[in-house]
Amino acid sequence: MRSSFLLVYFTFATSSFAADSLDAANLDAQIIDQKPIHAMGCGPIALLNAYRLGSDAWRETAQKVTATPQQGFKYFTKTYCSRFSRNSYLKRRWDEKNGIRPDDLTEAINEFHKKVKLPQVSLKRLFIKGDQSHQDLLLELHSHIKKSIKHGFPPLLSISKFSRITTLDGGHRWAETGSHFITITSIPKELAVNAQNFNFAYADPWLGKLSNTHFTISSSPFFANDITNRKDKRLHKNPTLVVPKTQFTLGTHRLSSNIAQQIAVTHLIVADSAATINIRYQSEL
């Protein structure tokens, strides 16, 4: 039953994109599969996929990183992600057990971009602010993605699974039990002001291919927090948009199937402006 549902949904999503979508510049690019490179490499690999899928200026300037997936991953993680994090005490930005946080990945990208004269990127925290509604947040998310794709840089999306786990004293608490980075490649050009969801296509480094799903507003309660927010790390009720639980595993093998869980849409890394081909670095790359 699940397979039939997914087939119907993906057929619908794909046809809607073909009709009226905003797409990454190079959808024919081969998507990098992280599994042969590193199981915890989704952040850097999502970035390499963004360069491949992006405009000519992004692709050509980033050739030093994207020469081959293995070389690109090694160069980026060793040069820019092995430094100690400013955001996590006594930890390096990326390590083999924990991967990389959205704020650390943003800083590493900006250091690389500064070297090769690419535009800076910004981290968008996709949590409800003040009296903002989930519909407002949905429109804000669409706007951020739209601008970055128009700048030639398919944005990187960070998602986190939050699960209701049993504590040692027999109680329950919500905690993050998995996270992942993907690269967004297509969205609808426009959204209705009262939209409750919207479809999107993405490059998944865990699968090494393009897939489709949708952002939506959760109909059931869950609790999540923003690990990048130094002032408020508390769990809040339904603070984000979500994506379907069946779409991403994110450590499912470690959890019982009857545990309450949601996949929260937490952070987005977007380009601040469009790139131009830098002649100085073309010969070096």
Side-chain angles (χ1 to χ4, degrees):
M1 182 66 181
R2 176 185 170 194
S3 297
S4 298
F5 170 78
L6 291 177
L7 178 61
V8 171
Y9 173 73
F10 288 160
T11 301
F12 167 76
T14 302
S15 62
S16 66
F17 287 143
D20 190 19
S21 64
L22 177 65
D23 304 318
N26 185 29
L27 288 181
D28 293 330
Q30 182 177 355
I31 307 304
I32 302 169
D33 184 345
Q34 76 181 74
K35 292 192 292 296
I37 301 171
H38 203 288
M40 300 302 293
C42 62
I45 298 301
L47 174 65
L48 300 185
N49 280 329
Y51 294 144
R52 286 190 169 199
L53 291 156
S55 67
D56 291 344
W58 289 96
R59 289 200 306 276
E60 294 187 27
T61 307
Q63 279 179 352
K64 182 171 183 178
V65 166
T66 58
T68 69
Q70 290 81 4
Q71 290 173 352
F73 177 82
K74 183 178 180 180
Y75 170 79
F76 184 73
T77 54
K78 183 177 181 180
T79 308
Y80 299 101
C81 300
S82 62
R83 300 170 185 177
F84 279 100
S85 169
R86 296 191 312 112
N87 308 297
S88 188
Y89 184 63
L90 291 180
K91 291 185 178 180
R92 298 190 185 277
R93 287 174 173 168
W94 179 87
D95 66 57
E96 296 189 352
K97 292 184 178 180
N98 302 297
I100 191 166
R101 293 162 47 116
D103 43 5
D104 285 332
L105 180 56
T106 303
E107 292 179 6
I109 293 170
N110 279 333
E111 288 173 10
F112 169 63
H113 284 187
K114 183 177 180 180
K115 177 177 177 60
V116 297
K117 309 301 183 186
L118 280 170
Q120 296 288 280
V121 298
S122 295
L123 180 66
K124 304 299 181 182
R125 295 172 171 86
L126 304 174
F127 289 77
I128 294 289
K129 296 176 281 290
D131 59 356
Q132 186 182 39
S133 70
H134 286 86
Q135 283 184 320
D136 293 337
L137 183 58
L138 191 75
L139 293 171
E140 178 185 311
L141 172 60
H142 182 269
S143 176
H144 288 320
I145 297 171
K146 183 176 181 177
K147 288 178 182 176
S148 195
I149 290 179
K150 285 188 172 182
H151 289 327
F153 182 83
L156 312 184
L157 180 72
S158 177
I159 55 177
S160 294
K161 176 175 284 187
F162 286 88
S163 306
R164 187 173 181 265
I165 60 177
T166 304
T167 58
L168 293 176
D169 60 4
H172 295 89
R173 67 180 178 88
W174 284 83
E176 185 185 59
T177 55
S179 61
H180 191 42
F181 284 95
I182 58 178
T183 309
I184 299 181
T185 60
S186 299
I187 58 170
K189 287 182 179 178
E190 303 295 338
L191 283 189
V193 294
N194 60 346
Q196 298 286 321
N197 54 69
F198 69 88
N199 297 335
F200 69 97
Y202 63 96
D204 189 341
W206 187 252
L207 300 175
K209 67 178 183 179
L210 294 174
S211 298
N212 301 278
T213 189
H214 63 282
F215 297 112
T216 191
I217 300 168
S218 176
S219 58
S220 57
F222 72 99
F223 290 82
N225 66 328
D226 180 2
I227 64 168
T228 72
N229 187 340
R230 297 181 182 180
K231 296 181 179 180
D232 185 7
K233 294 187 179 297
R234 296 173 299 165
L235 292 164
H236 294 273
K237 185 176 180 180
N238 292 46
T240 68
L241 303 168
V242 298
V243 292
K245 292 177 287 186
T246 55
Q247 190 74 10
F248 303 94
T249 54
L250 296 188
T252 298
H253 63 282
R254 299 194 300 266
L255 300 170
S256 171
S257 59
N258 62 355
I259 290 178
Q261 51 194 271
Q262 286 285 3
I263 300 183
V265 177
T266 60
H267 301 88
L268 189 74
I269 300 176
V270 301
D272 292 341
S273 59
T276 56
I277 296 175
N278 191 301
I279 302 301
R280 174 187 171 190
Y281 279 93
Q282 279 187 325
S283 59
E284 296 182 23
L285 297 179

